Amino acid sequence: YIMRQSIQMEGAGNRVQSSPEPTMHLAVVACGERLEETLTMIKSAVLFSIKRLYLHVFAEDQLHASFMEALESWPDILRLRFNYTVYSISFPSENAGEWKRLFKPCASQRLFLPLILKDIDSIVYVDSDILFLQPVDGLWDFLSRFNPSQLAAMSPEHEEPRIAWYSRFARHPFYGRTGINSGVMLMNMTRMRSTFFKNDMTPVGLRWEELLMPLLQKYKLNITWGDQDLLNIIFHHNPEFLLEFPCKWNYRPDHCIYGSNCASAEEDGIHILHGNRGVYHDYKQPAFRGVYDAIKQYSFGSDPVTSLLDPLKEELLKTTHTYCGKSHTLFTKRLALSLANINRKTTHGR
């Protein structure tokens, strides 16, 4: 793997003896044509984060140099906020091909993070099509809300069972009334590594590494969404291990495509935008694409309000012919607060 050495101590002078601030760990998997999309996700995470970030980027080998070149080209004031490691994609050798082909290329890599990152206690995993509209810190704080048995947190797949995918079409067990979406997943990996999981294959609990392949063999003809379906099966049998967070932390086209159905976003704005269905790259949901393009095109160092927020608001007004566009204020409510915080940090020289 390729590791970028820490530069936080450069110029620290007498501050070296002060207690280091806690670090948040963020993981993403990038295969195929996902380089630009993944960098835009990382850009949103680094721009708004308060505490320092450590990025764990799992990518096909031919993408490594491009990731390093892009991240190293960012201004020093941003580079001081994060470290990163770029890893090769890796699966258990005896079944590597089967895991890699499951659903989208390399998506099931997330299942193996507790086994690969053995020295990391907790991590936020996100799909490459995620955009943070407020600091990662807010999501990271859910770790402190875990009760003694909880070891992961995700949002429901849908808010309304009558139109949810799992409750209508799933041919396997799933969590709760509507299933869970794994595009944003918070993991206490220490607990995941040490826990025995109930299952429908053996009368005894299995550890994480013992559970995955037997589950795939049992259900591979019945699953549609790959590793997300396997997570649904696992937490169907172990619901006490999962904390649900509201849909505002994983807002997808499903929450507005037929009318607004995410109450937490309506109240507080969208915290994390999830552009599944490829909506960042076509014109079916222009509100989602507008946010993606605005963050991708933002130039580091320019005024975030006049060069990002104001043009985005103007662009979103052109999308009101769609149901998602009718909810355009939800897309900028939290973003406006996050950008104001960037200005405050700049003003105070932080």
Coordinates of all heavy atoms in Angstrom, one line a residue, residues 244-277:
E244 N -30.0 2.7 14.4 CA -30.6 3.4 13.2 C -30.3 4.9 13.4 O -30.6 5.5 14.4 CB -32.1 3.2 13.1 CG -32.5 1.9 12.5 CD -34.0 1.9 12.2 OE1 -34.5 2.8 11.7 OE2 -34.6 0.9 12.6
F245 N -29.8 5.6 12.3 CA -29.8 7.0 12.3 C -30.8 7.5 11.3 O -31.1 6.8 10.3 CB -28.4 7.6 12.2 CG -27.5 7.1 11.1 CD1 -27.8 7.4 9.7 CD2 -26.4 6.3 11.3 CE1 -27.1 6.9 8.7 CE2 -25.6 5.8 10.3 CZ -25.9 6.1 9.0
P246 N -31.2 8.8 11.4 CA -32.3 9.3 10.5 C -31.9 9.4 9.1 O -30.7 9.5 8.8 CB -32.7 10.6 11.1 CG -32.1 10.6 12.5 CD -30.9 9.8 12.5
C247 N -32.9 9.5 8.2 CA -32.6 9.5 6.8 C -31.9 10.8 6.3 O -31.3 10.8 5.2 CB -33.9 9.4 6.0 SG -35.3 10.5 6.5
K248 N -31.9 11.9 7.1 CA -31.2 13.1 6.8 C -29.7 12.8 6.6 O -28.9 13.6 6.0 CB -31.4 14.2 7.8 CG -30.9 13.9 9.2 CD -31.3 15.0 10.1 CE -30.8 14.7 11.6 NZ -31.3 15.8 12.5
W249 N -29.2 11.7 7.3 CA -27.8 11.3 7.2 C -27.5 10.4 6.0 O -26.4 10.0 5.8 CB -27.3 10.6 8.5 CG -27.3 11.5 9.7 CD1 -28.3 11.6 10.6 CD2 -26.3 12.5 10.0 NE1 -27.9 12.6 11.5 CE2 -26.7 13.1 11.2 CE3 -25.1 12.8 9.4 CZ2 -25.9 14.1 11.8 CZ3 -24.3 13.8 10.0 CH2 -24.7 14.4 11.2
N250 N -28.5 10.1 5.2 CA -28.3 9.3 4.0 C -29.5 9.5 3.1 O -30.4 8.7 2.8 CB -28.3 7.8 4.4 CG -27.9 6.9 3.2 OD1 -27.8 7.3 2.1 ND2 -27.8 5.6 3.6
Y251 N -29.5 10.7 2.5 CA -30.7 11.2 1.7 C -30.5 10.9 0.3 O -29.5 11.3 -0.4 CB -30.8 12.7 1.9 CG -32.1 13.3 1.3 CD1 -33.2 13.5 2.1 CD2 -32.1 13.7 0.0 CE1 -34.4 14.0 1.6 CE2 -33.3 14.3 -0.5 CZ -34.4 14.4 0.3 OH -35.6 15.0 -0.2
R252 N -31.4 10.1 -0.3 CA -31.3 9.5 -1.6 C -32.5 10.0 -2.5 O -33.5 10.5 -2.0 CB -31.2 8.0 -1.5 CG -30.1 7.5 -0.6 CD -30.1 6.0 -0.6 NE -31.3 5.3 -0.2 CZ -31.8 5.3 1.0 NH1 -31.1 5.8 2.0 NH2 -32.9 4.7 1.3
P253 N -32.4 9.8 -3.8 CA -33.5 10.1 -4.6 C -34.8 9.5 -4.2 O -35.9 10.1 -4.4 CB -33.1 9.6 -6.0 CG -31.6 9.7 -6.0 CD -31.2 9.3 -4.6
D254 N -34.7 8.3 -3.6 CA -36.0 7.7 -3.1 C -36.7 8.5 -2.1 O -37.9 8.3 -1.9 CB -35.6 6.3 -2.4 CG -34.8 5.4 -3.3 OD1 -33.6 5.7 -3.5 OD2 -35.4 4.4 -3.8
H255 N -36.0 9.5 -1.5 CA -36.7 10.3 -0.4 C -37.5 11.5 -1.0 O -38.1 12.2 -0.3 CB -35.7 10.8 0.6 CG -35.1 9.7 1.4 ND1 -33.8 9.4 1.5 CD2 -35.7 8.9 2.3 CE1 -33.6 8.4 2.3 NE2 -34.8 8.1 2.8
C256 N -37.3 11.7 -2.4 CA -38.0 12.8 -2.9 C -38.6 12.6 -4.3 O -39.3 13.4 -4.9 CB -37.1 14.1 -3.0 SG -35.6 13.9 -3.9
I257 N -38.2 11.4 -5.0 CA -38.5 11.2 -6.4 C -40.0 11.1 -6.6 O -40.5 11.5 -7.7 CB -37.8 9.9 -6.9 CG1 -37.7 9.9 -8.4 CG2 -38.3 8.7 -6.3 CD1 -36.8 8.8 -8.9
Y258 N -40.8 10.7 -5.6 CA -42.2 10.6 -5.8 C -42.9 11.5 -4.8 O -44.1 11.4 -4.5 CB -42.7 9.2 -5.6 CG -42.1 8.2 -6.5 CD1 -41.3 7.1 -6.0 CD2 -42.2 8.3 -7.9 CE1 -40.7 6.2 -6.9 CE2 -41.6 7.4 -8.8 CZ -40.9 6.4 -8.2 OH -40.3 5.5 -9.1
G259 N -42.2 12.5 -4.2 CA -42.7 13.3 -3.2 C -41.8 13.2 -1.9 O -41.3 12.1 -1.7
S260 N -41.8 14.2 -1.1 CA -40.9 14.2 0.0 C -41.3 13.2 1.1 O -42.5 13.2 1.5 CB -40.8 15.6 0.6 OG -39.9 15.7 1.7
N261 N -40.4 12.3 1.6 CA -40.8 11.4 2.6 C -39.7 11.2 3.6 O -39.6 10.1 4.3 CB -41.2 10.0 2.0 CG -40.1 9.4 1.2 OD1 -39.0 9.2 1.7 ND2 -40.4 9.1 -0.1
C262 N -38.8 12.2 3.8 CA -37.8 12.1 4.8 C -38.1 13.2 5.8 O -37.6 14.4 5.6 CB -36.4 12.2 4.2 SG -35.1 12.2 5.5
A263 N -38.8 12.9 6.9 CA -39.2 14.0 7.9 C -38.0 14.7 8.5 O -38.0 15.9 8.7 CB -40.1 13.3 8.9
S264 N -36.9 13.9 8.8 CA -35.8 14.5 9.5 C -35.1 15.6 8.6 O -34.6 16.6 9.1 CB -34.8 13.5 10.0 OG -34.3 12.7 8.9
A265 N -35.1 15.3 7.3 CA -34.5 16.3 6.4 C -35.4 17.5 6.2 O -34.9 18.7 6.1 CB -34.2 15.7 5.0
E266 N -36.7 17.3 6.2 CA -37.6 18.4 6.1 C -37.5 19.3 7.3 O -37.6 20.6 7.2 CB -39.0 17.9 6.0 CG -39.3 17.2 4.7 CD -40.7 16.5 4.7 OE1 -41.5 16.8 5.7 OE2 -41.0 15.7 3.8
E267 N -37.1 18.8 8.5 CA -37.0 19.6 9.7 C -35.6 20.2 9.8 O -35.5 21.4 10.1 CB -37.2 18.7 10.9 CG -37.1 19.4 12.2 CD -37.4 18.5 13.4 OE1 -37.9 17.4 13.2 OE2 -37.1 19.0 14.5
D268 N -34.5 19.5 9.4 CA -33.2 20.0 9.7 C -32.3 20.2 8.5 O -31.2 20.6 8.5 CB -32.4 19.0 10.6 CG -33.1 18.9 12.0 OD1 -33.6 19.9 12.5 OD2 -33.1 17.8 12.5
G269 N -32.9 19.9 7.3 CA -32.0 19.9 6.1 C -31.3 18.6 5.9 O -31.2 17.7 6.7
I270 N -30.8 18.4 4.7 CA -30.0 17.2 4.3 C -28.6 17.3 4.9 O -27.9 18.3 4.6 CB -30.0 17.0 2.8 CG1 -31.4 16.8 2.2 CG2 -29.1 15.8 2.4 CD1 -31.5 17.0 0.7
H271 N -28.2 16.3 5.6 CA -26.8 16.3 6.2 C -25.8 15.6 5.3 O -24.7 16.0 5.1 CB -26.8 15.6 7.6 CG -27.5 16.4 8.7 ND1 -28.6 17.2 8.4 CD2 -27.3 16.5 10.0 CE1 -29.0 17.8 9.6 NE2 -28.2 17.4 10.5
I272 N -26.3 14.5 4.7 CA -25.4 13.7 3.8 C -26.3 13.4 2.6 O -27.4 12.8 2.7 CB -24.9 12.4 4.4 CG1 -23.9 12.8 5.5 CG2 -24.2 11.5 3.4 CD1 -23.3 11.5 6.3
L273 N -25.8 13.7 1.4 CA -26.5 13.4 0.1 C -25.9 12.1 -0.5 O -24.7 12.0 -0.6 CB -26.3 14.6 -0.8 CG -27.3 14.7 -2.0 CD1 -28.7 14.9 -1.5 CD2 -26.9 15.8 -3.0
H274 N -26.8 11.2 -0.9 CA -26.4 10.0 -1.5 C -26.9 9.9 -2.9 O -28.1 9.7 -3.1 CB -26.9 8.8 -0.6 CG -26.4 7.5 -1.1 ND1 -26.7 6.3 -0.4 CD2 -25.6 7.1 -2.1 CE1 -26.2 5.3 -1.0 NE2 -25.5 5.7 -2.1
G275 N -26.0 10.0 -3.9 CA -26.5 10.1 -5.3 C -26.5 8.8 -6.0 O -25.8 8.6 -7.0
N276 N -27.2 7.8 -5.4 CA -27.3 6.5 -6.0 C -28.2 6.6 -7.3 O -28.6 7.7 -7.6 CB -27.8 5.4 -5.1 CG -29.2 5.7 -4.6 OD1 -29.7 6.8 -4.6 ND2 -29.9 4.6 -4.2
R277 N -28.3 5.5 -8.0 CA -29.0 5.5 -9.3 C -28.2 6.3 -10.3 O -28.8 6.7 -11.4 CB -30.4 6.1 -9.2 CG -31.3 5.4 -8.2 CD -32.7 6.1 -8.1 NE -33.6 5.5 -7.2 CZ -34.6 4.7 -7.5 NH1 -34.7 4.3 -8.8 NH2 -35.4 4.2 -6.6

